[in-house]
Amino acid sequence: MSSAVKNILASFSTTPNDKKHFPATNQAHYCWQRYNEFVLCLKKSEGDAEACAPARHLAISLCPEDWINNWDEQRENGNFLGVQEKAAAADDHHH
């Protein structure tokens, strides 16, 4: 990780995580967007988790832990509805 990124992360702060009231704060859209930016980073960097650590940190700072865990599991199982890390297999119905 570059020193510029480390400096940005060192000065970065977010609102404290409020899991009890989170859904009512209208942050769900931003949480989803940040998580998908993390997955897009993984896709562009060919799965380099270290290179994408800043993007994951931003997602974790906005999202409830349960959501992150569920989306991680969905990505592992291949049924995540957001950005796909790998290209989808060719559909047999289209020739």
Side-chain angles (χ1 to χ4, degrees):
M1 188 178 326
S2 73
S3 62
V5 171
K6 287 180 183 177
N7 289 339
I8 290 170
L9 287 177
S11 64
F12 184 79
S13 65
T14 62
T15 305
N17 208 351
D18 184 1
K19 293 180 173 114
K20 182 178 178 184
H21 299 101
F22 179 84
T25 62
N26 260 348
Q27 293 299 311
H29 169 79
Y30 299 107
C31 164
W32 176 251
Q33 183 175 342
R34 294 293 179 238
Y35 188 83
N36 278 279
E37 288 171 358
F38 160 65
V39 177
L40 186 59
C41 176
L42 289 174
K43 183 176 183 174
K44 289 180 177 179
S45 69
E46 299 179 357
D48 186 350
E50 186 176 332
C52 299
R56 183 163 177 87
H57 177 76
L58 289 175
I60 289 171
S61 72
L62 282 174
C63 302
E65 186 177 354
D66 291 348
W67 292 11
I68 296 287
N69 292 338
N70 286 338
W71 292 334
D72 285 346
E73 185 175 323
Q74 289 171 5
R75 284 182 25 248
E76 289 173 15
N77 295 334
N79 61 354
F80 178 62
L81 297 177
V83 172
Q84 301 301 306
E85 288 179 63
K86 298 175 181 142
D91 189 345
D92 292 336
H93 301 291
H94 299 292
H95 295 281

